[in-house]
Amino acid sequence: MKILLTGATGYIGKRLLPLLVEQGHEVICCVRDKNRFYCPIEFQSKITVIEVDFLDELSVQNIPNTIDIAYYLIHSMSGSATNYDELESLSAKNFVSNLNQTRVQQVIYLSGIVNDQALSKHLSSRKKVEDILTTGTFATTTLRAGIIVGSGSASFDIIRDLVNKLPVMITPKWLNTRCQPIAITDVLDILMRSLLNPKTFDQSFDIGGPDILTYKEMLLGFAAAKNLKRWIFTVPVMTPKLSSYWLYFVTSTSYRLASALVSSMKVEVVCNDNRINDIVQVKPMTYQQALKRALIKVDEDKVASSWKDSMISGRFNTNLSNYLKVPKKDCFIDRRKMEIIDREFTISRIWSIGGETGWYYGDWLWDLRGFIDKLYGGVGSRRGRTNRHDIHAGDALDFWRVLYANKQEGKLILFAEMKLPGEAWLEFKIIGNTLYQSATFRPNGIWGKLYWYSVVPFHGFIFKGMLQKLIY
């Protein structure tokens, strides 16, 4: 079949795409920016990539009218706009309006569990999107999930950060809220098995694993899986704002996402029934089984996708293409070069930079810069990187975003997502037998210039030391 995949660069979309291709489907991937989309060579003949902004009616017309099935995986709960619920509704309306002109038979929507009487803003928004999708001329299948447990999921990373960093936790009372977590493997399995299944048409289903746990029990369950002793005490005095800051400073999440999650974690997300399991013949794994699987993927450096690589983990909503060309005019530039000894060695070092590997020289200064950025509400450096030795355009890398990565060319361009009085790029490129390293800063007014001059003294040994470590 010809399948439309929205949210193709997101956490779920990246994992669903290879499954669809492996089953022989032709996949039309909807992305806002083609430069953020990475596709393995073996899949390129099976997919078509189109740029679509669902907030733009004209852009939505890029969708072909020959599609059979569509997956709607668009969510904006941590976007910078405070009216994200209105934007989500507009996106859904534009989507329905366009798909009504196609031959599409079914739309499969991944939403959130909305059984509690008092819903958070983001869960209410997802319910409204569901209502809009059901107005289409096609059959709609809504799958409502709570906490998704898998390597690279926001929930898994937050739980891991809290347990690994805090032996004793003084936590807000919402840790006693119940939820029904489900493994990412089971989510994908249900998404696939719902394809053109008439028993799922025009219905909504709750999807969850066999365990109903409090968030506190989930944290302690992770500690048990890692053989760690942890003590958790809940207090009633921690406000939603304080809770959001607690998550923000301890974990790798952004403040916007932390705030949205805190709001939702006060709402009980438990399945009303498990009909879908019988309909599609799926037996979801337990929470401990899901944790074990996720931990193995992390240890083996085989994380297929991460929430950190989606734009919600950063502070920019514009396309990366806008920053791809590194400017020279009105910029401060630190340029360095050195002859390379072994091209493969140098490329391997460049492609492993950041995250657990570090920056090869003056790591404590990079960490300090990330800490300062976090204090001022920036992304900090806790995002790390999804894979230790592999990066692609669009990936997050500490407080940078990968704009361009081409091993064959030996060229890597990073753009700073930290809070700055200006814009910054870090570029590595190999030409012949020489490695060129450039740090470019385009200041924003007098504060930008003062910032550059204040950090110039550190550039001399940080960038020089890093360049040498990339060679030897």
Side-chain angles (χ1 to χ4, degrees), residues 146-266:
I147 299 297
I148 297 177
V149 181
S151 59
S153 75
S155 304
F156 176 82
D157 282 351
I158 288 172
I159 290 170
R160 181 177 60 172
D161 286 345
L162 290 173
V163 173
N164 285 345
K165 295 174 183 177
L166 301 176
V168 179
M169 299 181 219
I170 308 298
T171 66
K173 61 182 179 181
W174 51 254
L175 252 72
N176 291 322
T177 304
R178 297 191 310 159
C179 61
Q180 196 163 347
I182 183 170
I184 179 61
T185 303
D186 294 323
V187 173
L188 295 171
D189 207 4
I190 295 171
L191 283 168
M192 291 294 295
R193 290 170 181 254
S194 297
L195 270 173
L196 278 191
N197 186 329
K199 293 182 180 180
T200 70
F201 285 4
D202 296 319
Q203 294 196 65
S204 299
F205 302 95
D206 295 339
I207 61 174
D211 301 315
I212 298 176
L213 306 167
T214 65
Y215 291 108
K216 179 178 178 179
E217 289 171 334
M218 289 178 66
L219 288 169
L220 293 174
F222 186 95
K226 294 277 290 183
N227 294 317
L228 296 171
K229 289 287 186 181
R230 292 295 181 262
W231 292 267
I232 302 175
F233 304 95
T234 57
V235 294
V237 294
M238 197 172 286
T239 65
K241 192 168 186 178
L242 281 174
S243 298
S244 300
Y245 279 118
W246 178 67
L247 281 183
Y248 171 61
F249 281 111
V250 177
T251 72
S252 56
T253 185
S254 66
Y255 179 76
R256 292 198 305 269
L257 183 56
S259 181
L261 288 173
V262 166
S263 176
S264 296
M265 285 174 175
K266 293 182 292 182

Side-chain angles (χ1 to χ4, degrees), residues 15 39 49 62 67 79 118 152 161 196 220 228 241 248 258 270 274 302 360 370 383 405 418-419 454 456 467:
R15 295 180 183 231
C39 179
V49 184
N62 291 332
I67 58 173
D161 286 345
L196 278 191
L220 293 174
L228 296 171
K241 192 168 186 178
Y248 171 61
V270 176
N274 296 313
K302 292 180 179 178
Y360 301 122
R383 291 187 306 183
M418 67 188 91
K419 287 202 168 185
S454 70
V456 160
L467 181 63

Side-chain angles (χ1 to χ4, degrees), residues 170-381:
I170 308 298
T171 66
K173 61 182 179 181
W174 51 254
L175 252 72
N176 291 322
T177 304
R178 297 191 310 159
C179 61
Q180 196 163 347
I182 183 170
I184 179 61
T185 303
D186 294 323
V187 173
L188 295 171
D189 207 4
I190 295 171
L191 283 168
M192 291 294 295
R193 290 170 181 254
S194 297
L195 270 173
L196 278 191
N197 186 329
K199 293 182 180 180
T200 70
F201 285 4
D202 296 319
Q203 294 196 65
S204 299
F205 302 95
D206 295 339
I207 61 174
D211 301 315
I212 298 176
L213 306 167
T214 65
Y215 291 108
K216 179 178 178 179
E217 289 171 334
M218 289 178 66
L219 288 169
L220 293 174
F222 186 95
K226 294 277 290 183
N227 294 317
L228 296 171
K229 289 287 186 181
R230 292 295 181 262
W231 292 267
I232 302 175
F233 304 95
T234 57
V235 294
V237 294
M238 197 172 286
T239 65
K241 192 168 186 178
L242 281 174
S243 298
S244 300
Y245 279 118
W246 178 67
L247 281 183
Y248 171 61
F249 281 111
V250 177
T251 72
S252 56
T253 185
S254 66
Y255 179 76
R256 292 198 305 269
L257 183 56
S259 181
L261 288 173
V262 166
S263 176
S264 296
M265 285 174 175
K266 293 182 292 182
V267 179
E268 192 169 89
V269 283
V270 176
C271 302
N272 274 349
D273 65 69
N274 296 313
R275 288 180 301 133
I276 189 65
N277 296 340
D278 294 329
I279 291 173
V280 299
Q281 296 296 295
V282 169
K283 184 180 180 181
M285 65 181 71
T286 66
Y287 176 60
Q288 285 300 324
Q289 288 172 328
L291 282 181
K292 183 178 179 181
R293 191 183 184 97
L295 289 168
I296 289 173
K297 293 292 184 182
V298 171
D299 291 342
E300 294 180 349
D301 196 29
K302 292 180 179 178
V303 180
S305 65
S306 172
W307 72 275
K308 297 174 185 176
D309 294 330
S310 64
M311 297 306 284
I312 66 171
S313 76
R315 65 185 189 94
F316 294 99
N317 290 322
T318 56
N319 289 353
L320 293 182
S321 304
N322 298 339
Y323 304 97
L324 192 54
K325 186 175 181 180
V326 183
K328 294 182 176 60
K329 186 178 179 181
D330 300 324
C331 293
F332 296 109
I333 306 176
D334 183 289
R335 292 190 180 93
R336 299 174 189 275
K337 63 179 181 179
M338 185 174 289
E339 284 194 17
I340 61 176
I341 300 171
D342 184 332
R343 179 186 174 89
E344 291 304 314
F345 172 83
T346 296
I347 288 179
S348 175
R349 297 280 277 182
I350 294 172
W351 253 249
S352 301
I353 204 166
E356 294 179 8
T357 303
W359 294 83
Y360 301 122
Y361 193 84
D363 277 349
W364 70 274
L365 286 170
W366 290 94
D367 291 340
L368 177 61
R369 182 64 185 88
F371 176 73
I372 293 172
D373 187 54
K374 198 84 169 176
L375 287 179
Y376 281 88
V379 297
S381 57

Side-chain angles (χ1 to χ4, degrees), residues 409-424:
E409 286 183 45
K411 185 175 181 179
L412 176 68
I413 305 176
L414 309 178
F415 182 73
E417 286 196 287
M418 67 188 91
K419 287 202 168 185
L420 288 169
E423 297 167 335

